[in-house]
């Protein structure tokens, strides 16, 4: 059974940084697409970043390009999301999940419990 546990969320001021982690059990990252999506209160889910093709390809939403970096440590079976220059509009619950890239965009499934990110101005 796949289990995904996100951590690293918290409250920061605008301009600050956070690094999210996603530890997996029952799942091997290196062979699949993995990514992060977020959902803010009252808003639609937004795919933030994904890494796939054995780690050789990445996807970033336009809203986070240049600020967020996705990476994975296959030895630790852990996915990361480094978030820099955070903005209040980045406030959301962040989830990691396996994904499938369709039409150039990741589609997520079987996500974990999420970790809250709150950015104050």
């Amino acid at each position: 059974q796949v289990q995904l546990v996100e951590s690293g969320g918290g409250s920061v001021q605008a301009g600050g940084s956070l690094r999210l982690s996603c530890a997996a059990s029952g799942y091997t990252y290196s062979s699949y697409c993995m990514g992060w999506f977020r959902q803010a209160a009252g808003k639609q889910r937004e795919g933030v970043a994904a890494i796939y093709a054995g780690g050789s390809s990445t996807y970033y939403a336009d809203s986070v390009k240049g600020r967020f970096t996705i990476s994975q440590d296959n030895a630790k079976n852990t996915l990361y999301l480094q978030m820099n220059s955070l903005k209040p509009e980045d406030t959301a619950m962040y989830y990691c999940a396996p994904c499938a890239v369709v039409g150039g965009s990741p589609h997520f499934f079987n996500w974990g419990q999420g970790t809250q990110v709150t950015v104050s101005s």
Side-chain angles (χ1 to χ4, degrees):
Q1 184 178 357
V2 175
Q3 286 190 320
L4 301 169
V5 180
E6 300 96 335
S7 61
S11 297
V12 296
Q13 290 192 325
S17 298
L18 286 172
R19 189 176 81 153
L20 306 184
S21 299
C22 177
S25 59
Y27 197 81
T28 302
Y29 278 151
S30 62
S31 302
Y32 301 95
C33 174
M34 285 294 301
W36 297 89
F37 68 91
R38 64 189 180 187
Q39 188 157 24
K43 294 188 177 181
Q44 286 192 330
R45 186 183 307 163
E46 178 188 19
V48 173
I51 186 166
Y52 55 102
S56 62
S57 297
T58 55
Y59 162 90
Y60 293 98
D62 288 343
S63 58
V64 306
K65 279 180 182 175
R67 300 189 297 121
F68 290 12
T69 303
I70 190 170
S71 61
Q72 62 188 33
D73 184 330
N74 294 333
K76 296 182 179 180
N77 223 28
T78 301
L79 185 73
Y80 301 101
L81 185 68
Q82 178 67 43
M83 306 187 296
N84 298 329
S85 302
L86 283 162
K87 304 175 180 180
E89 51 263 44
D90 294 318
T91 295
M93 185 72 80
Y94 284 72
Y95 301 85
C96 75
C99 48
V101 178
V102 180
S105 298
H107 295 257
F108 299 94
F109 49 94
N110 297 339
W111 47 88
Q113 296 299 309
T115 186
Q116 178 68 38
V117 172
T118 302
V119 185
S120 58
S121 58

